Amino acid sequence: MATTSKTTSNSSPLSETVKPTNANPAVFAKLDSRLKQVKLQIDQGNYQRAFDAIPNNSSDIEVLNCRAVCLMRMGKFAQAIVPLRSIALNTSTFHLRPDIHDHIKINFAIALFFGGEPAGGLDALADISREDDPQVQALRARAKAWSASMNWLKRFDWYVNRVAPKIGPT
């Protein structure tokens, strides 16, 4: 591994309620042993070490999701958009693919929202029909608080034209 530094969860700008979602236990059980080790590193807060252990050349959906989760936990949301977009977005319709697990869709919405594309994040969130999920609820609450913090002109421009202020959500 290239680095031995430990990045803690405190370095991420996300609160504990809006963390990228993990795979459900059924998906986790199907992962190979290397990805299980990566998951353990993530659980311990060693995001850079986990990221370095993930293969770069894989096209496996869960591997790409793990890479994106590591990037988001390190606060690199814009970089996390790329691997998630390639697996979550149907490029012919620009909507989320219905065959992708919900945890990946939620991670994509989080990456977009905090990665400089808040309108895209909320559009992706609208495609997810999991209102009972705590991550969905937390992201919606964060979006509402963010829009409430804008002055009236910026909020009007956001609601009417979907033009986000230059300083996006943090």
Side-chain angles (χ1 to χ4, degrees):
M1 289 178 208
T3 182
T4 58
S5 67
K6 179 179 176 179
T7 303
T8 64
S9 59
N10 296 337
S11 67
S12 176
L14 288 177
S15 68
E16 285 300 314
T17 58
V18 190
K19 287 287 188 186
T21 60
N22 295 319
N24 63 36
V27 173
F28 182 70
K30 295 178 186 176
L31 295 178
D32 66 21
S33 61
R34 187 167 184 183
L35 281 183
K36 286 181 182 179
Q37 290 299 319
V38 168
K39 169 95 171 71
L40 292 174
Q41 291 290 332
I42 290 172
D43 290 343
Q44 294 172 1
N46 298 321
Y47 308 129
Q48 185 64 49
R49 184 177 279 169
F51 183 79
D52 292 341
I54 300 170
N56 287 334
N57 57 355
S58 178
S59 62
D60 182 79
I61 291 171
E62 288 302 331
V63 171
L64 292 170
N65 184 57
C66 283
R67 291 184 66 77
V69 167
C70 288
L71 288 167
M72 287 190 287
R73 298 269 175 108
M74 291 186 291
K76 300 176 182 179
F77 298 97
Q79 292 176 10
I81 293 171
V82 175
L84 289 169
R85 180 177 281 143
S86 68
I87 57 176
L89 197 64
N90 182 340
T91 55
S92 62
T93 64
F94 296 107
H95 287 282
L96 295 178
R97 292 177 39 198
D99 59 324
I100 296 297
H101 292 285
D102 286 336
H103 68 276
I104 295 174
K105 294 176 186 178
I106 295 168
N107 287 341
F108 184 53
I110 291 170
L112 286 170
F113 187 75
F114 292 106
E117 299 179 32
L122 294 178
D123 288 344
L125 197 58
D127 282 354
I128 301 169
S129 58
R130 293 269 319 264
E131 294 305 318
D132 60 328
D133 189 287
Q135 301 302 78
V136 171
Q137 293 171 353
L139 187 56
R140 287 194 195 283
R142 197 71 179 267
K144 187 175 181 180
W146 172 67
S147 66
S149 71
M150 298 177 202
N151 68 37
W152 71 270
L153 185 58
K154 287 182 181 178
R155 192 174 320 133
F156 178 78
D157 204 20
W158 169 247
Y159 283 120
V160 174
N161 301 319
R162 296 292 267 191
V163 175
K166 291 186 190 242
I167 299 175
T170 55

